[in-house]
Amino acid sequence: MRHIRKVIVIEKHIVLEDIDPVVFYGIGNQHLQMLRALYPKLRIVARDNVIRILGDEEQMAAFEESAERIRQHVVRFNALKEEDILDIVKGHRTKDEVPEGVVCYSMSGRAIKARSENQQRLIDTYRDNDMVFAVGPAGTGKTYLSIALAVRALKEKTAKKIILSRPAVEAGEKLGFLPGDMKDKIDPYLQPLYDALEDMLPQVKLQEMMEHHIIQIAPLAFMRGRTLSDAVVILDEAQNTTPQQIRMFLTRMGWNTKMIITGDMTQIDLPRSQKSGLVEALEILSGIEGIGVVELNRKDIVRHKLVTRIVNAYERFDKSGSQSKIENQ
């Protein structure tokens, strides 16, 4: 009597969340073709962010496990190579998993990490405190590194949302003379924050997160009355806040929230008669447990080498100007 082996064919769907599916599939579906070759007993079809698998039950279970590891790899590194897929399918660690001290990865796959002693101090202070003040001149990476820490918290699910804010001092917080709706009015002031986010998150995913308020960008004036919980909250350009504004902002802090306040004392755009809220906050909050302060300087500048020279030149000018005033009195 002839025995017929019963083959069980099942179908499953895998949804690729939190990543750009194009990175997973590869250019021209190159990665997808590779996975089809590695799992010959499966029929693998992809559309948008959904993968449909049909075939052998045992091989499907192995594919599901590999697909999840590949997804997690893309979430972390924003990149995927053929050798990464092979390592993951074989159960090995990928080469990218070895480096230490990396906060997250840019969309080009570049490791974002501390590039100076004080930048590392900022990372460590953020880890050990719920509120961090990062103060230093232009180009020291205060804002960029702070947003990288927030993106990492979102990816690791230690925070549910990112809230970014800046004072729009140039328009006196009224924003009335700029054309367009409210978003059009505030976007010019928040562009540096958009730039950093676009460097770390896929464009489509960033847009989706903003539409669902997972990432919120708003001028400081919109913070009044809110309680900010389960979030990483960043106040950029805090030197341009008034004492009342920064006090209002700091007291928005809710449960499971971390705050990073960045500022540059050499770029205060407030009227001369108005004291900077950042200066006052640092005086009042000095030494309070749970609040860390990191001071960056021109040695931490990570932009073009000319930026360091420009900062040095202006510092010399400021000092000579102050000395001239003293001599003229």
Side-chain angles (χ1 to χ4, degrees):
M1 186 176 177
R2 187 176 173 185
H3 294 281
I4 300 174
R5 181 174 176 266
K6 188 177 180 180
V7 178
I8 300 174
V9 177
I10 61 172
E11 179 179 335
K12 283 192 177 182
H13 290 185
I14 295 175
V15 179
L16 300 175
E17 296 179 339
D18 301 329
I19 65 168
D20 182 353
V22 174
V23 179
F24 189 103
Y25 301 148
I27 298 171
N29 286 337
Q30 188 177 351
H31 297 156
L32 207 59
Q33 296 289 0
M34 185 178 182
L35 287 167
R36 285 170 181 148
L38 291 168
Y39 294 94
K41 295 181 182 179
L42 299 178
R43 183 169 179 264
I44 303 169
V45 180
R47 186 173 181 179
D48 297 327
N49 69 329
V50 179
I51 302 175
R52 179 173 167 260
I53 320 111
L54 189 72
D56 178 74
E57 185 177 15
E58 185 178 339
Q59 200 163 96
M60 186 177 292
F63 176 83
E64 281 187 284
E65 185 177 337
S66 294
E68 176 56 22
R69 282 196 62 200
I70 293 170
R71 187 194 69 80
Q72 290 176 1
H73 181 92
V74 175
V75 166
R76 183 178 177 189
F77 301 109
N78 284 323
L80 183 66
K81 301 185 287 290
E82 289 188 359
E83 53 263 41
D84 297 329
I85 295 173
L86 281 173
D87 284 336
I88 288 169
V89 169
K90 291 176 182 179
H92 301 157
R93 292 179 67 190
T94 65
K95 292 178 182 178
D96 287 330
E97 292 180 76
V98 178
E100 294 182 2
V102 176
V103 178
C104 65
Y105 287 78
S106 72
M107 289 307 302
S108 63
R110 175 178 56 85
I112 298 171
K113 58 184 179 180
R115 295 173 63 181
S116 70
E117 186 178 333
N118 285 327
Q119 284 192 358
Q120 185 59 52
R121 187 172 291 122
L122 172 55
I123 294 170
D124 295 340
T125 304
Y126 170 85
R127 180 195 62 213
D128 298 333
N129 297 272
D130 287 337
M131 185 178 290
V132 180
F133 287 85
V135 182
T140 51
K142 307 180 299 295
T143 301
Y144 190 80
L145 197 56
S146 297
I147 291 178
L149 289 165
V151 168
R152 182 180 68 180
L154 205 59
K155 289 187 174 187
E156 293 179 349
K157 301 189 185 302
T158 57
K160 293 181 180 178
K161 54 184 177 280
I162 298 173
I163 301 171
L164 309 173
S165 185
R166 294 182 104 192
V169 318
E170 294 84 353
E173 286 288 358
K174 294 179 182 178
L175 309 171
F177 70 92
L178 291 173
D181 60 18
M182 183 53 68
K183 186 177 185 302
D184 294 329
K185 291 175 188 292
I186 66 175
D187 274 359
Y189 301 97
L190 305 174
Q191 193 57 51
L193 307 181
Y194 287 118
D195 291 343
L197 286 169
E198 286 171 356
D199 195 37
M200 299 175 205
L201 292 167
Q203 183 62 46
V204 174
K205 192 63 189 175
L206 174 58
Q207 190 64 37
E208 181 185 318
M209 286 178 166
M210 293 183 72
E211 287 173 359
H212 290 86
H213 304 292
I214 295 170
I215 294 178
Q216 303 172 26
I217 304 181
L220 184 59
F222 287 16
M223 290 294 175
R224 188 173 297 279
R226 298 185 64 183
T227 300
L228 310 175
S229 300
D230 298 309
V232 177
V233 186
I234 298 172
L235 174 60
D236 194 33
E237 301 286 355
Q239 77 277 0
N240 287 328
T241 60
T242 65
Q244 294 79 13
Q245 285 175 328
I246 201 165
R247 181 175 181 175
M248 176 273 292
F249 174 82
L250 297 178
T251 54
R252 301 305 94 200
M253 193 173 194
W255 295 106
N256 191 37
T257 286
K258 289 209 171 199
M259 280 188 168
I260 307 176
I261 300 93
T262 71
D264 177 0
M265 299 303 195
T266 66
Q267 294 188 2
I268 298 175
D269 299 315
L270 295 167
R272 290 182 179 274
S273 59
Q274 177 69 67
K275 185 175 184 179
S276 166
L278 178 59
V279 173
E280 183 175 280
L282 289 171
E283 292 171 0
I284 294 170
L285 303 177
S286 176
I288 291 182
E289 186 179 353
I291 298 177
V293 178
V294 178
E295 293 186 14
L296 299 101
N297 55 52
R298 58 178 179 264
K299 292 180 181 178
D300 302 300
I301 292 175
V302 291
R303 291 181 187 167
H304 193 286
K305 58 186 179 183
L306 275 177
V307 175
T308 304
R309 296 172 189 170
I310 290 166
V311 170
N312 290 343
Y314 270 95
E315 283 188 359
R316 288 193 299 270
F317 175 80
D318 290 340
K319 287 177 182 177
S320 64
S322 299
Q323 185 62 38
S324 297
K325 287 178 183 177
I326 293 170
E327 290 173 356
N328 291 332
Q329 286 177 352

